[in-house]
Amino acid sequence: MFDLFLLTLACFGVGGLGALVAARSPTLARIVGHVSALLGAISALTFGVAGLAGGSMQLNIPDLLPIGGAAFGVDRLSAFFVLIIAVGAIPAALYAIGYTREYAGKHSLAGIGFAFNIFIAAMILVPLARNVLTFLALWELMSLASYFLVITEPEREDTLSAGWVYFVMTHAGFAALFLGFLLLAQTTGSIHFTEWSAAAAQLDPDSRNLVFVLLAIGFGSKAGVIPLHIWLPRAHPAAPSHISALMSGVMIKLGVYGLLRVAFDWLGAGPLWWGGMMLIVGAVSGVLGVLYALVDPDLKRLLAYSSVENIGIIMLGVGAAMLFQATQLPGLAALALVAALYHTLNHAAFKSLLFMGAGAVLHAAHTSNMEDLGGLIKRMPQTAALFLVGSLAIAALPPFNGFISEWLTFQSLLLSFQISAHTVNLIFALGVAALALTSGLAVACFVRAFGITFLALPRSDRAEHAYEVDWTMRAAMALLALICIVLGVAPSLVLTPLEAIVFELTSAHADMRFNLTAVVANGEFGWVAPLWIGLGLVMFLLAIPLALRLLGANQRRRYYETWGCGRALQTARFEYTATAFANPFKRVFAVLYRPIKDLDIEFHPESRYFVRTIEYYNEGRLIFEDALYRPLLGVIETLARRARVLQSGNVHSYLVYILVALVALLIFAV
Amino acid sequence: MASLLRQILKTPVVTEALKSDDDLQIDILARQIDERARKRFGRSLHIREVDAGSCNGCELEIGALNNPYYDIERFGMHFVASPRHADCLLVTGPVTRNMADPLKRTYEATPGPKIVVAIGDCAHNCGVFVGGYGVVGPVSAVLPVDAVVHGCPPEPRAILLGILAALEKRP
Amino acid sequence: MFTEIAIELFQLLLVAFGSPLLVGVIRKAKARLQGRRGAPIFQPYADIRKLFSKEVVVSENSSWIFRFTPYLLATTMLLAALIVPVLTTSAPLGFMGNIVALMYLFLLGTFFLALAGLDAGSAFGGMGSSREVAIAALAEPTVLIAIFGIALRAGTTSLDGIIIRFAAEPLLMLNAGHLLAFFAFFIVALAENGRLPVDNPATHLELTMIHEAMILEYSGRLLALVEWAAGMKLFLFLTLISNLFFPWGVALSNTPIALMIAFFALALKLLLFAGAIALLETAVAKLRLFRVPELLAGSFTVALLAVVTSFFLK
């Protein structure tokens, strides 16, 4: 395992430095940087698989970092997350080879290659970190590298402000993490993660709760739970598509990794309100995330909000697991955890696929605004088919992978009836309702995303002239689509290692049985046989047209125009728009969106009976920014303005400040 | 709702038997469909009504076909919303210049095999609108017609018998 | 082994060939209530047979998804017919999925039908798709909370297991929660199958259509498959409701007598439901589209009440 570790780091090192060295030749920088990253990711995949099979590794470099040096280690959970990162990084690197070609001459491909390699390497090292400073240093490195990648195209309209919001939010989270870690290190007396689980049991409840809240805020902001999500819908659309895929599919999962470590490893079993809070946060994120995705006309921002939704679903599983652990039902806790981890892997696969598809659309049609797209299925048939696979997977429809993880999440939530505390039961019931609403709305959201973007007629010239993208991008998407299908019909491939991971974390066996074809939860509570469903679907799909042909049904097919009530013209203006499709939701959930409607009618100058144009705006307001962040920023600004008094510009007052500070420190230290 | 239900339960079935009448004027023209299709349509016919410029007198009579007295559904016939679902086009009115093209498109949008029944004197020979500046001609000038039902407007009974005659079906 | 496969096959054929009869009976009942003779109860068979002999007219704007969707719809319904315990609880392929998996299988059909509505590029299709997915999304929480309520009492979410448990201990069904869950499920069945008061299956006004608007472009054998699949969906939903909430008659073993009793019991239950639906459709007017979420929210509250009562009355 150690040699795989070194090989991975070496590949990324070669990639990063090689890209910088080849700065003169953009093509060389692009190829070296990304191919090296691809090889490094493959090596990381092997490392992850070896770790899941039970391999171990320990590495301590005493003087690399202050206070304890750098410490690395691997256990099953870390190996799983390295695997997830690799599953996201391999297609991303492959995709990037083709996608970044158009940056030659406009942006520095050497810098892009360098940052790309640092980003993935840092992400891979984060789950392997085993003491406070290693973790924090790598976390910060990951955030910085991703910041530079987000602002790759600063000439685009909102990129710089999106990058800024991302920068601030990730550092606010970092501050919370820093405080939490320091508090925990101080109270347990150690900075090594391995020593925390034993020491945490002796902590007093107040500091445990405080640490939990701080770390939850820190990791939650990285994961993108509501209300700490505001950077997601800004940063992900601004970044290049493969970076969005990596951030959305992989980086936010490291927030989940942190939360799992906090709840199940470092702090031990906590009081009921920890799990309840996680579950409620998950439910709210799930529903609100998909509701915002439903009304957004930009394809990439829609996918970013959908990531918030899926993190919500993962949090539902994690919260359920914590609640089960707190109520002494370890088998069910393990089941819920399996569901959450499975969904983490699944989301990495299909969200990366969807972002890459959106990137392909952006590449070919030069716009990601769905109001200008349409008809792409005829111009980019393979991309469309792959995007369809991703949409089916994220809508949790059989026989794809999203269905299995949502099914498992449902089963673990439904099994909550074994708890006999009424408040907890009610919270679980609301969790079931929230998950159901989320999955229904996700179906609607992706019917809209796929249907408006790819089907019917193109709504603009740019969409009309779209073309199929090159083979590296399609190959990357095909790889992910294959993963979605395989994980959907053969879940046992993932469930076997997940059982081992969960056993390591909670010392309990998940309450389920499975074999190659079927999964059964909790004795006889519920079962599903995804392979059989898949085979059944294929069998009937082939049998029905055959039967019709044999029974003599009329096989003639004639092409004619769409039925438009005999109207002479059929243009794209008659199609349903993305805004119109979302209208029922906007009306039903108006209390949430608080839409601002505006109607602009321009009349013909000579007569008010003739109308030239009508423009209709129906935009939702961002309630979290308005209600939470703006007041907060206002307070900070007011405080800063008051504090400006201290910056008098007078050297003498500064000397007085230094004197006062010195005296105070001396008194305090002595 | 209770009073409504009470009234429903009190009212009997009022459908009248369809009597054939010899002095009804129904012309059978072209034979567009073969024997097998005619037998199938005899059991199940989906009708799309197209108003190609009529005064709506014929429409009122056609609308009456859906009421309990005439009950077109007992013959397996059913009005549909889209020509894609239709087997039979029921065309009324002299074909006006504005409606000539939509009528042709409606015909093309209908999947074959299909029949066309023209209802009313206007559909037969433009009726009182013959020679008008906005009129293209009778329905047979635009579409191939299987049967024509004379009358201004024809009774619902005649319309029903006309459609049945086009399918060579006894009532 | 062979008997079980034969029974499974018989169930499949019953659903496949019995659903047009169910639709025909509902239409006949409605016609009688309207005071007219109405089409014969076997009319839907004639309709489907005729549609198979017509050509298919496809819009130039549409893609392979338009032509693929009817086959997928029929496929998901036939697959669901293998899972739902129509006559017996010991069908060998019932292990393919529990009730949650069944609901997702229906959702697969809805997804593709909504896409097909958008595919031709007509305004009606888009409108139908938008409304259909909105209603499907809002009905999901009700369905799953109702399932939660049933699972609480029966201790399992497997369809066979629920029926066996309820048939063995009928007293489990004798409480308010069960009745509330039944009402909630019934309203969802109306919403999912496009019946009044959510959607009028016999309307000609495109602005009032939901399900019909999505299939305005279909013709010939594609239309036949879509109509058949819609009939099967109604059959399966009503069978599900009657067998889960009123499990008397369902065969618990595979003896010929039990199966015959099951057949007649199912026929009776479906007849009663058909009559109830016909009566409801005659007496009630269609709800305004933006009142439907209120109806669904009401049914959600009813289902939640069902769950809460079973918590507090344990």
Side-chain angles (χ1 to χ4, degrees):
Chain A
M1 291 239 2
F2 188 65
D3 18 349
L4 278 174
F5 180 74
L6 286 180
L7 177 63
T8 314
L9 287 181
C11 286
F12 287 117
V14 162
L17 292 172
L20 283 180
V21 160
R24 290 287 185 80
S25 156
T27 318
L28 193 60
R30 174 170 59 94
I31 305 273
V32 166
H34 292 117
V35 170
S36 242
L38 180 63
L39 293 173
I42 295 176
S43 158
L45 182 70
T46 335
F47 180 84
V49 171
L52 283 175
S56 69
M57 184 200 81
Q58 276 268 54
L59 177 63
N60 280 307
I61 309 174
D63 296 312
L64 192 61
L65 289 171
I67 318 175
F72 297 101
V74 70
D75 66 359
R76 287 207 156 89
L77 186 67
S78 305
F80 183 66
F81 275 88
V82 169
L83 180 86
I84 292 179
I85 297 168
V87 161
I90 293 175
L94 184 59
Y95 187 89
I97 298 177
Y99 189 82
T100 49
R101 191 181 295 150
E102 61 172 12
Y103 288 154
K106 280 188 287 179
H107 307 111
S108 159
L109 274 161
I112 292 174
F114 179 66
F116 191 69
N117 281 283
I118 298 285
F119 181 40
I120 302 183
M123 278 201 291
I124 290 177
L125 289 175
V126 162
L128 301 175
R130 287 291 178 265
N131 72 16
V132 171
L133 271 170
T134 323
F135 191 92
L136 289 175
L138 289 166
W139 191 265
E140 182 62 18
L141 193 61
M142 175 181 82
S143 307
L144 276 178
S146 56
Y147 168 71
F148 284 111
L149 286 168
V150 163
I151 58 170
T152 307
E153 298 176 48
E155 71 279 1
R156 280 176 58 200
E157 211 182 311
D158 296 315
T159 311
L160 286 175
S161 75
W164 177 239
V165 173
Y166 174 51
F167 193 76
V168 170
M169 285 300 294
T170 198
H171 283 97
F174 182 76
L177 278 183
F178 205 15
L179 276 175
F181 276 138
L182 284 185
L183 192 57
L184 191 53
Q186 189 203 33
T187 45
T188 54
S190 157
I191 55 155
H192 291 283
F193 291 168
T194 40
E195 296 171 20
W196 279 353
S197 24
Q202 278 93 19
L203 286 178
D204 64 294
D206 285 333
S207 33
R208 274 177 91 206
N209 288 340
L210 185 60
V211 166
F212 176 75
V213 169
L214 284 170
L215 290 179
I217 291 178
F219 287 123
S221 79
K222 180 60 79 178
V225 300
I226 295 203
L228 303 163
H229 68 286
I230 58 166
W231 60 274
L232 257 166
R234 289 184 165 81
H236 289 187
S241 307
H242 57 290
I243 304 297
S244 313
L246 274 179
M247 287 172 71
S248 209
V250 170
M251 191 184 73
I252 60 181
K253 304 307 188 308
L254 290 175
V256 176
Y257 168 75
L259 282 165
L260 286 174
R261 283 281 180 211
V262 168
F264 292 97
D265 192 8
W266 299 332
L267 290 180
L272 275 177
W273 67 265
W274 286 8
M277 192 181 87
M278 286 285 123
L279 201 143
I280 292 176
V281 160
V284 169
S285 304
V287 175
L288 284 183
V290 73
L291 280 177
Y292 280 123
L294 256 176
V295 299
D296 209 303
D298 182 82
L299 190 57
K300 289 180 78 171
R301 208 165 37 230
L302 182 152
L303 292 174
Y305 273 120
S306 166
S307 294
V308 174
E309 172 220 337
N310 280 284
I311 289 287
I313 296 177
I314 298 174
M315 283 296 121
L316 272 172
V318 171
M322 288 167 75
L323 278 173
F324 283 131
Q325 212 183 33
T327 52
Q328 268 78 45
L329 287 166
L332 293 180
L335 181 66
L337 215 50
V338 165
L341 286 171
Y342 203 150
H343 200 77
T344 312
L345 177 62
N346 285 342
H347 185 238
F350 51 64
K351 191 41 70 68
S352 304
L353 172 59
L354 286 170
F355 262 113
M356 289 180 188
V361 166
L362 185 59
H363 196 93
H366 302 292
T367 174
S368 65
N369 186 356
M370 286 196 284
E371 303 282 15
D372 290 331
L373 294 171
L376 296 178
I377 194 170
K378 299 218 169 112
R379 292 157 178 81
M380 313 166 67
Q382 286 154 14
T383 308
L386 294 168
F387 196 92
L388 182 63
V389 170
S391 306
L392 287 167
I394 199 171
L397 295 173
F400 298 97
N401 55 358
F403 167 62
I404 308 287
S405 51
E406 261 194 46
W407 187 88
L408 280 170
T409 316
F410 262 121
Q411 296 302 124
S412 44
L413 288 176
L414 289 173
L415 281 164
S416 66
F417 71 88
Q418 293 188 9
I419 303 178
S420 16
H422 291 318
T423 346
V424 179
N425 287 135
L426 203 57
I427 294 181
F428 267 107
L430 291 175
V432 169
L435 184 58
L437 187 60
T438 304
S439 77
L441 290 173
V443 168
C445 182
F446 282 91
V447 164
R448 175 176 180 257
F450 180 77
I452 304 279
T453 309
F454 288 97
L455 298 179
L457 290 171
R459 292 176 179 79
S460 72
D461 282 332
R462 287 183 284 185
E464 180 127 14
H465 297 123
Y467 50 86
E468 187 62 269
V469 292
D470 73 31
W471 72 271
T472 53
M473 291 160 77
R474 275 180 285 160
M477 290 195 280
L479 190 60
L480 287 168
L482 190 64
I483 294 177
C484 286
I485 296 177
V486 167
L487 289 183
V489 293
S492 55
L493 290 174
V494 180
L495 288 175
T496 325
L498 281 182
E499 259 198 328
I501 296 172
V502 158
F503 185 71
E504 205 178 59
L505 263 185
T506 62
S507 316
H509 286 288
D511 208 344
M512 62 176 184
R513 317 187 306 269
F514 58 91
N515 58 27
L516 187 63
T517 56
V519 181
V520 184
N522 183 242
E524 302 278 300
F525 188 74
W527 45 40
V528 70
L531 187 63
W532 283 90
I533 292 181
L535 285 175
L537 284 172
V538 169
M539 187 188 82
F540 278 118
L541 273 174
L542 294 173
I544 295 178
L546 191 64
L548 285 183
R549 208 174 280 260
L550 290 176
L551 289 173
N554 190 334
Q555 298 294 327
R556 269 198 71 200
R557 187 197 302 161
R558 180 160 60 89
Y559 287 93
Y560 193 57
E561 56 186 28
T562 307
W563 172 241
C565 296
R567 185 182 53 227
L569 211 56
Q570 170 73 25
T571 67
R573 290 289 292 137
F574 290 106
E575 291 174 335
Y576 233 52
T577 62
T579 312
F581 198 93
N583 196 30
F585 301 100
K586 269 211 198 117
R587 294 191 66 155
V588 172
F589 295 102
V591 67
L592 189 71
Y593 294 122
R594 300 187 184 283
I596 309 170
K597 285 192 232 191
D598 196 20
L599 188 60
D600 236 327
I601 307 182
E602 190 190 308
F603 296 99
H604 198 275
E606 290 178 31
S607 164
R608 270 185 75 90
Y609 287 109
F610 292 95
V611 168
R612 270 234 192 96
T613 56
I614 299 179
E615 275 186 54
Y616 175 67
Y617 293 99
N618 190 343
E619 271 183 62
R621 273 180 274 196
L622 299 164
I623 56 172
F624 285 100
E625 274 86 336
D626 291 339
L628 195 63
Y629 287 93
R630 230 171 274 284
L632 195 65
L633 289 174
V635 165
I636 295 178
E637 231 182 305
T638 320
L639 286 175
R641 216 173 295 138
R642 298 265 177 81
R644 235 199 338 212
V645 165
L646 291 171
Q647 287 181 304
S648 57
N650 190 337
V651 178
H652 301 295
S653 35
Y654 291 162
L655 285 172
V656 171
Y657 294 155
I658 295 174
L659 183 64
V660 167
L662 197 56
V663 169
L665 275 172
L666 282 172
I667 296 175
F668 190 67
V670 173
Chain B
M1 213 209 300
S3 59
L4 177 65
L5 284 174
R6 251 193 313 238
Q7 183 162 20
I8 290 175
L9 293 171
K10 273 196 301 196
T11 318
V13 170
V14 297
T15 311
E16 299 168 347
L18 187 61
K19 291 188 314 279
S20 180
D21 213 337
D22 284 324
D23 59 272
L24 283 175
Q25 278 207 287
I26 298 170
D27 298 339
I28 313 290
L29 303 179
R31 300 240 177 291
Q32 282 189 76
I33 54 177
D34 66 359
E35 187 59 40
R36 225 168 32 150
R38 202 165 319 124
K39 278 227 308 262
R40 292 253 166 82
F41 288 163
R43 294 291 315 281
S44 152
L45 186 74
H46 286 181
I47 307 175
R48 168 72 176 167
E49 195 273 334
V50 185
D51 174 352
S54 88
C55 68
N56 284 341
C58 294
E59 268 72 30
L60 284 170
E61 303 299 322
I62 293 175
L65 286 174
N66 283 317
N67 66 28
Y69 297 96
Y70 293 105
D71 193 19
I72 196 174
E73 297 226 350
R74 61 187 151 133
F75 296 107
M77 302 184 199
H78 179 63
F79 281 95
V80 287
S82 163
R84 293 262 206 273
H85 299 179
D87 314 309
C88 164
L89 286 182
L90 222 57
V91 189
T92 58
V95 182
T96 56
R97 290 212 312 236
N98 278 345
M99 281 302 290
D101 191 41
L103 184 60
K104 270 190 255 182
R105 284 174 195 271
T106 308
Y107 183 77
E108 287 296 319
T110 313
K114 53 196 166 186
I115 62 173
V116 177
V117 179
I119 305 290
D121 286 338
C122 293
H124 169 57
N125 56 11
C126 293
V128 296
F129 298 108
V130 63
Y133 67 89
V135 168
V136 165
V139 179
S140 45
V142 179
L143 299 179
V145 178
D146 290 70
V148 177
V149 179
H150 298 253
C152 186
E155 281 181 34
R157 205 163 45 95
I159 300 175
L160 254 184
L161 286 168
I163 302 175
L164 288 169
L167 300 174
E168 287 182 12
K169 204 178 154 200
R170 317 242 119 244
Chain C
M1 171 65 169
F2 273 127
T3 38
E4 299 194 314
I5 296 185
I7 294 169
E8 185 81 65
L9 206 62
F10 181 66
Q11 273 189 183
L12 183 67
L13 291 174
L14 183 63
V15 174
F17 291 108
S19 37
L21 184 59
L22 176 68
V23 175
V25 167
I26 294 180
R27 286 196 195 148
K28 186 75 160 178
K30 271 173 82 171
R32 285 294 161 130
L33 286 171
Q34 288 168 4
R36 53 189 181 93
R37 232 188 277 165
I41 56 174
F42 296 106
Q43 181 62 29
Y45 292 103
D47 290 338
I48 292 180
R49 184 133 177 275
K50 176 213 63 185
L51 280 173
F52 277 130
S53 69
K54 301 261 301 184
E55 71 174 350
V56 167
V57 180
V58 173
S59 163
E60 298 156 333
N61 302 336
S62 63
S63 63
W64 62 268
I65 291 196
F66 184 78
R67 301 189 302 268
F68 172 71
T69 297
Y71 295 105
L72 182 86
L73 274 176
T75 299
T76 51
M77 292 307 146
L78 289 173
L79 202 58
L82 292 175
I83 298 178
V84 172
V86 179
L87 288 178
T88 167
T89 56
S90 32
L93 288 176
F95 71 91
M96 272 202 289
N98 63 355
I99 192 168
V100 177
L102 186 69
M103 289 303 140
Y104 273 103
L105 205 56
F106 286 137
L107 219 52
L108 179 64
T110 309
F111 187 94
F112 271 99
L113 189 59
L115 281 183
L118 281 170
D119 203 9
S122 72
F124 300 138
M127 188 186 73
S129 300
S130 160
R131 294 172 171 188
E132 173 83 10
V133 292
I135 291 178
L138 293 173
E140 278 298 299
T142 310
V143 168
L144 279 149
I145 291 285
I147 291 174
F148 195 15
I150 303 172
L152 275 177
R153 262 176 288 278
T156 172
T157 59
S158 108
L159 291 157
D160 300 334
I162 295 174
I163 296 179
I164 293 175
R165 187 85 199 280
F166 281 155
E169 298 174 43
L171 287 176
L172 275 177
M173 298 191 286
L174 203 69
N175 55 31
H178 198 74
L179 206 61
L180 290 173
F182 164 68
F183 275 126
F185 222 102
F186 187 67
I187 294 180
V188 166
L190 292 178
E192 290 267 345
N193 288 293
R195 313 298 312 187
L196 285 160
V198 176
D199 180 19
N200 186 354
T203 183
H204 288 194
L205 304 171
E206 284 88 352
L207 286 178
T208 63
M209 292 178 178
I210 301 177
H211 176 81
E212 299 299 313
M214 292 188 288
I215 63 174
L216 279 176
E217 285 293 317
Y218 278 116
S219 49
R221 64 182 185 278
L222 299 181
L223 181 63
L225 285 172
V226 171
E227 297 272 347
W228 184 42
M232 283 197 283
K233 191 171 182 184
L234 182 64
F235 191 99
L236 286 170
F237 257 99
L238 290 179
T239 310
L240 203 61
I241 295 180
S242 22
N243 285 350
L244 283 184
F245 290 98
F246 310 105
W248 300 290
V250 180
L252 298 168
S253 59
N254 284 347
T255 60
I257 307 246
L259 288 170
M260 260 206 321
I261 296 178
F263 181 78
F264 285 113
L266 182 69
L268 182 66
K269 286 186 258 188
L270 287 180
L271 200 65
L272 286 173
F273 270 111
I277 289 181
L279 203 62
L280 191 67
E281 295 209 324
T282 314
V284 166
K286 191 178 98 75
L287 279 178
R288 233 198 92 181
L289 178 69
F290 294 118
R291 287 296 197 87
V292 175
E294 292 173 21
L295 175 70
L296 292 172
S299 70
F300 172 72
T301 320
V302 165
L304 197 60
L305 265 172
V307 164
V308 167
T309 51
S310 63
F311 282 145
F312 287 98
L313 294 178
K314 247 199 288 201

